[in-house]
Amino acid sequence: GEKEANDGKSTRRPRSMSNSSASTTASASDHPFEQIAPPLERTEVRAVEGALNLKTMCALDVYTPIRQIYAVSGDLELSKSNIAKIYGEGYSRVPVYDPKGKDHSAMKGILMTRQLIMIDWDDERTVSSLPIYIPPCVSPRMNLIRLLHLLRKGGSLIAFVCAGPHIAERALNEGRAIPPEAGFMGLVTLQDVLEAIIQERIYDEEDISERNLASAVLTNWAATVLQRFAKRQKLRRANSIEQMSPRIDNEVAVIGERSPLLKSS
């Protein structure tokens, strides 16, 4: 009897605990989790991913190589046609190279195209007669966090990418062009870094107009193709109707007023 009482006592649970456990289980099943903030959009996810990659990406991943750079020579005469050509490229900053160098890698600085507004092309001035801005020189291995800090705090939106940045900076500060041993590679801008963060291209007014023009050309081409396809379909349908009409006329001619409605079995 004592054993049975002990067994029964050990297996009996208080009613209050059972009710509490049941209510807790019901509450957890009704609300598995509570939404604290709205879900992230795709653009936000890409921006977070790009920001996390800043430390692993470097200037070499986002820079513009020398073969794709538009640059002008220091001895270029600022005539009416040359000024119009520079403005036509659509850049606010244009690299200037030394004409005495072996190639375009002998950079001397950056020309701010806004300076051309006050130039009288009848004066026959050259590019080198204007103030040339000297940008910082960075290594292609500089990570994007340091590069972003340099471009944001240094007051420059553009930098030269060189294999030997210290050699290049010394030459520029002394008024000389970047020597071949500095290994000029290309340019990197603040826009390149921002595009790496958001992982999308940033379009300016000129890019948007070009994109709209390309879209209009593509739309016109697609409309022409669809129009030709519709004409072919209409012609094919008309030919098929013409081929079927004689057969229908023959079948109608066979069936007259005296023709039986039902065939005899």
Side-chain angles (χ1 to χ4, degrees):
E2 184 178 357
K3 184 177 181 182
E4 292 178 358
N6 291 337
D7 292 341
K9 198 171 184 180
S10 62
T11 57
R12 191 179 298 115
R13 295 181 179 178
R15 182 170 299 185
S16 60
M17 292 180 60
S18 177
N19 293 339
S20 175
S21 175
S23 63
T24 303
T25 305
S27 175
S29 61
D30 293 341
H31 306 284
F33 62 90
E34 183 178 357
Q35 185 71 36
I36 300 177
L40 295 176
E41 297 182 359
R42 184 176 300 178
T43 304
E44 296 173 319
V45 173
R46 285 199 298 263
V48 172
E49 182 183 2
L52 294 175
N53 291 335
L54 284 181
K55 216 165 190 177
T56 58
M57 297 180 66
C58 58
L60 188 63
D61 297 321
V62 298
Y63 87 116
T64 302
I66 185 175
R67 64 178 179 275
Q68 299 177 8
I69 293 175
Y70 171 73
V72 296
S73 174
D75 62 352
L76 178 69
E77 182 181 342
L78 295 175
S79 61
K80 182 178 180 180
S81 59
N82 288 334
I83 292 177
K85 183 178 180 181
I86 294 174
Y87 273 125
E89 292 294 331
Y91 296 109
S92 61
R93 295 163 177 81
V94 177
V96 179
Y97 62 90
D98 188 359
K100 299 179 182 178
K102 295 181 180 180
D103 51 22
H104 292 181
S105 64
M107 291 293 175
K108 297 195 67 174
I110 299 294
L111 170 68
M112 302 294 185
T113 56
R114 64 173 178 264
Q115 302 179 52
L116 302 178
I117 298 176
M118 304 302 296
I119 296 298
D120 186 357
W121 49 74
D122 293 332
D123 293 341
E124 299 181 354
R125 298 181 61 177
T126 60
V127 172
S128 58
S129 65
L130 299 178
I132 303 298
Y133 169 72
I134 299 178
C137 300
V138 299
S139 169
R141 295 183 295 273
M142 176 180 286
N143 63 54
L144 295 190
I145 291 182
R146 293 179 55 197
L147 182 59
L148 178 62
H149 179 75
L150 174 67
L151 297 178
R152 188 170 59 92
K153 293 292 185 180
S156 176
L157 301 181
I158 192 171
F160 286 157
V161 180
C162 304
H166 300 293
I167 302 175
E169 282 189 347
R170 188 184 307 114
L172 291 176
N173 292 330
E174 294 175 356
R176 298 182 289 110
I178 296 178
E181 56 268 21
F184 177 81
M185 300 174 59
L187 301 174
V188 64
T189 64
L190 182 61
Q191 180 177 335
D192 296 330
V193 181
L194 295 179
E195 288 179 350
I197 295 176
I198 65 176
Q199 302 187 52
E200 288 183 358
R201 183 179 175 184
I202 300 175
Y203 293 95
D204 58 13
E205 295 82 0
E206 188 71 21
D207 295 331
I208 291 176
S209 62
E210 292 178 359
R211 184 177 60 176
N212 292 341
L213 178 60
S215 177
V217 172
L218 182 61
T219 303
N220 187 23
W221 173 81
T224 304
V225 172
L226 289 176
Q227 189 176 12
R228 291 177 182 175
F229 176 76
K231 288 182 178 179
R232 287 198 300 267
Q233 290 294 104
K234 186 177 180 180
L235 182 61
R236 189 180 295 111
R237 193 179 303 111
N239 293 336
S240 62
I241 293 175
E242 291 179 358
Q243 292 176 0
M244 292 176 61
S245 57
R247 186 173 59 187
I248 295 176
D249 294 340
N250 293 335
E251 292 179 358
V252 172
V254 172
I255 302 175
E257 293 183 356
R258 297 182 180 182
S259 300
L261 298 177
L262 298 177
K263 293 181 179 180
S264 59
S265 57

